[in-house]
Amino acid sequence: MSVATEFAPGLTIQNITAPQKLSAYKLIAFDMDSTLITIECIDEIADATGKKAEVAAITEATMRGEITDFKDSLRQRVGKLAGVTQADMARVLAERLQLSPGAHTLVKAAQNAGLKVLLVSGGFTYFAEHVRDLLQIDFVRANVLEMDNGVLTGGLVDQPWGDICDGAEKRRTLLEVASLLGIDAAQCIAVGDGSNDIPMMQAAGLSVAYHAKPRVRAEAKVCINLGGLDRLLEVLQ
């Protein structure tokens, strides 16, 4: 395994030379929870049922890679959300969801350099579509929470591409969008923080770990350990 080099305080690189040209890439893919936004939405939703600590513990173990079956982990956690109302969800969105520092700056710089932007999340469309609108993101893939008369059932809705957006689906989505754009995986950037981001990071030409778990940092070519997402612009100019 390569030893990471400190490029600047709190910013490490391995197996790349820097700075590089941002415009050399054509697609940038982001995880959402704890990457593009500061929260884990599922943990905050669970707060409405008094189960935040319980759900957050499973989330943390999953992101560290200690729980390896993401689909089973997500189903367990979503099952604990039964009874949460649409009003509860709206409060999480309005009161707790915030973009990560530097998110707007990085996305805008990428768009100005001609890149398309993909949000691909193991979280939920309810929040992902809001973030899409805030940042004018081109493509979104996330999971759909099942709701009956304005109340979460504790289940998920199957979609045409499959049941759950896990690590394998993130990778497949990145490659699918790259194919639609007529570009190579080497022209893609993947940014994430948890173990389920590793498959898409391994497929992309440039992998970026943002305030990530140790296992994810070991896989990434760029690690942002201090500061905001826009620190990537120190490596890609």
Side-chain angles (χ1 to χ4, degrees), residues 70-81:
F70 179 85
K71 289 188 177 185
D72 183 60
S73 163
L74 186 64
R75 288 190 183 102
Q76 280 186 49
R77 287 176 286 157
V78 170
K80 298 178 188 298
L81 304 181

Side-chain angles (χ1 to χ4, degrees), residues 36 47-48 79 103 137-138 178-179 202 206 218 220:
L36 265 184
D47 205 15
I137 288 171
D138 300 287
S179 177
Q202 291 174 332
L206 185 68

Side-chain angles (χ1 to χ4, degrees), residues 31-41 97-100 103 127 131 210 229:
D31 169 54
M32 181 174 69
D33 296 76
S34 298
T35 301
L36 265 184
I37 63 175
T38 60
I39 62 171
E40 292 285 338
C41 291
L97 188 149
Q98 293 184 332
L99 293 176
S100 292
F127 303 99
V131 175
Y210 178 67
L229 281 167

Side-chain angles (χ1 to χ4, degrees), residues 8-11 102 224-236:
L11 185 66
I224 301 170
N225 302 317
L226 293 172
L229 281 167
D230 54 338
R231 293 208 67 193
L232 182 59
L233 299 175
E234 296 174 39
V235 177
L236 299 176

Side-chain angles (χ1 to χ4, degrees), residues 39-51:
I39 62 171
E40 292 285 338
C41 291
I42 193 166
D43 299 351
E44 302 306 321
I45 302 169
D47 205 15
T49 64
K51 297 180 179 177

